[in-house]
Amino acid sequence: MAHYDVVVVGAGPAGSTAARALAMGGARVCLVDKARFPRPKPCGGALSPRTLRHLPHGVEDVVRSQIRRAVFTFQSGKPFEVVSATPMGYMVCREEFDTWLKAGAEAAGVFVREGVAVRTIEQTAAGMTVRAGGDAMSATTVIGADGAHSLVAAQCLPARPPARYVALEAEVSQDGHPLEDTVLVDVGAFPGGYGWAFPKGNRVNVGAMVERPRGRDLRAAFATFVSKQPALPAVPAGSQHAAAVAAPQAAPVPCARPGVLLVGDAAQLADPFLGEGIYYAVRSGTLAARAVLQGLGGAETAALYAGRIQDEVWPDLIAASRVAYLFHRMPRWWHHLLSLMPGSLSEVIGVLAGDHTYAGLLRRIVERVDAHAGQWVRRRLGVRPDDARKREGV
């Protein structure tokens, strides 16, 4: 039986990031994935600017386009645009991006096993035993980076609620419909979510996301979105792929126990507002590696990692969940309000850039809603602000 300090299950952004950081810290690591790379992966493939801060040098080699313009519509009508002097996002194709990350982990000294499905994870007196592809590996720690339907989570941690959203996406040739540096975002027809088109050079990624209970409406919503966007090419049914978006339902889910850490989608660490998962995958993979490299072991490592996720990741996700609730319950109102002052979206861009937090954005939203509601009431009552202050004795 081969022995490693850590076995990482899943070679997506979370797993490859964790494995590379561990190997660079001197750990003996095996990275296992049931697929052979390059492999397709249903995903919009948008990297926020803050994600790039946590990635190795050279990521620009797999970036296909930089986004500086976004066009927002409500049920494919009433468009308005936002333009940014600096990129709002960077578009990658996941088969290229994930292969690059895996190669970086391998170059750092990680032993990689592709095309090998993990069957069981067992705790023994000596540590953890991972059985995969007819072989067994032992390790002090197992990191579950195997996605929204994580086998590691299912076998090693308490049951959790399903992911919050489900998405349908396709990546097709742009076929004479170049979007260049522009993304299309449509709201109002997707309960709890939105439709999108992301340009990637000679390809375009088209998708839609809805709340899981409304999943039966997803294909119809996707088809309607594509049919009403003249800037998009046809999207064959055979190119469409569904996937869970591993945003949490509400409260944090357990992400660690002695000998086992969950990262990325396996820990339901995805943005509840935008559905972005790559940033939290890379961030949690890094935090897991740091916790393991501290060498505390067992329960201490699990507690250290869980505490860092609780302190450094969950506050942002909880605030994003509240922003999502406010927006998706009144998309028509928000679309109209933002069309009147599109500069307000610069604050969302600031969150994606890492310059602001969702907690700060939520606070400013509440302040503005309160101010606009007060103005509306005063107009309806025919009361001027000065009159109101006089009546209150100010």
Side-chain angles (χ1 to χ4, degrees):
M1 183 185 296
H3 177 76
Y4 301 91
D5 297 311
V6 184
V7 171
V8 181
V9 182
S16 289
T17 296
R20 178 178 180 273
L22 285 162
M24 293 181 68
R28 178 172 165 80
V29 186
C30 182
L31 178 61
V32 185
D33 199 289
K34 63 183 178 182
R36 292 193 178 276
F37 288 66
R39 54 93 172 95
K41 173 69 175 177
C43 177
L47 304 182
S48 60
R50 62 181 176 176
T51 306
L52 267 64
R53 301 179 185 178
H54 298 273
L55 291 172
H57 293 297
V59 66
E60 61 276 2
D61 294 339
V62 292
V63 170
R64 282 178 163 249
S65 63
Q66 299 183 13
I67 302 306
R68 288 183 168 83
R69 178 173 175 262
V71 176
F72 296 90
T73 54
F74 178 82
Q75 297 183 358
S76 299
K78 301 179 180 179
F80 72 92
E81 69 177 47
V82 174
V83 179
S84 175
T86 58
M88 306 176 194
Y90 303 82
M91 296 299 162
V92 296
C93 295
R94 283 294 300 271
E95 72 269 23
E96 298 170 352
F97 178 65
D98 290 7
T99 299
W100 173 76
L101 284 173
K102 179 192 68 68
E106 201 163 12
V110 174
F111 180 65
V112 177
R113 296 190 66 188
E114 298 180 46
V116 178
V118 171
R119 298 177 181 275
T120 61
I121 303 100
E122 305 166 0
Q123 186 163 17
T124 67
M128 307 300 297
T129 297
V130 178
R131 301 190 184 278
D135 297 326
M137 298 168 282
S138 67
T140 303
T141 303
V142 173
I143 293 180
D146 48 341
H149 303 294
S150 169
L151 175 74
V152 179
Q155 292 195 3
C156 300
L157 278 97
R160 62 202 50 226
R164 185 168 177 167
Y165 303 110
V166 62
L168 185 68
E169 67 86 37
E171 200 154 282
V172 296
S173 169
Q174 52 94 349
D175 191 27
H177 295 71
L179 295 176
E180 298 179 348
D181 65 349
T182 300
V183 299
L184 308 179
V185 177
D186 185 52
V187 299
F190 313 92
Y194 61 98
W196 70 81
F198 295 160
K200 300 182 181 183
N202 63 350
R203 301 188 198 178
V204 58
N205 184 280
V206 184
M209 179 179 79
V210 299
E211 293 172 334
R212 178 176 286 275
R214 302 296 295 272
R216 65 175 65 90
D217 303 327
L218 183 57
R219 289 193 179 276
F222 179 93
T224 300
F225 171 62
V226 174
S227 68
K228 291 185 176 181
Q229 297 289 340
L232 296 182
V235 181
S239 67
Q240 300 170 22
H241 304 280
V245 179
Q249 294 283 359
V253 300
C255 65
R257 51 151 277 197
V260 180
L261 311 179
L262 300 180
V263 293
D265 285 357
Q268 293 194 353
L269 300 178
D271 184 330
F273 180 42
L274 300 175
E276 180 197 13
I278 296 177
Y279 168 73
Y280 295 101
V282 172
R283 181 81 184 280
S284 60
T286 301
L287 292 175
R290 289 176 182 170
V292 172
L293 290 172
Q294 293 216 348
L296 300 174
E300 289 79 6
T301 295
L304 178 62
Y305 172 66
R308 286 177 175 169
I309 292 294
Q310 184 69 34
D311 294 342
E312 300 180 33
V313 177
W314 275 110
D316 209 38
L317 290 179
I318 291 170
S321 182
R322 291 170 179 163
V323 171
Y325 178 84
L326 289 173
F327 183 88
H328 292 305
R329 293 302 174 273
M330 301 183 294
R332 181 191 298 272
W333 186 83
W334 282 107
H335 179 271
H336 176 68
L337 182 63
L338 292 171
S339 70
L340 298 177
M341 43 183 193
S344 296
L345 283 170
S346 64
E347 296 182 12
V348 178
I349 296 171
V351 172
L352 297 178
D355 298 328
H356 305 298
T357 65
Y358 269 118
L361 175 62
L362 178 63
R363 184 174 60 253
R364 287 187 288 275
I365 288 173
V366 171
E367 290 171 351
R368 289 180 182 177
V369 169
D370 182 62
H372 280 278
Q375 292 171 9
W376 182 84
V377 169
R378 285 193 293 270
R379 285 198 301 270
R380 299 285 288 185
L381 297 177
V383 177
R384 295 176 301 176
D386 289 344
D387 294 336
R389 282 195 291 270
K390 288 176 182 177
R391 292 177 185 178
E392 293 168 2
V394 179

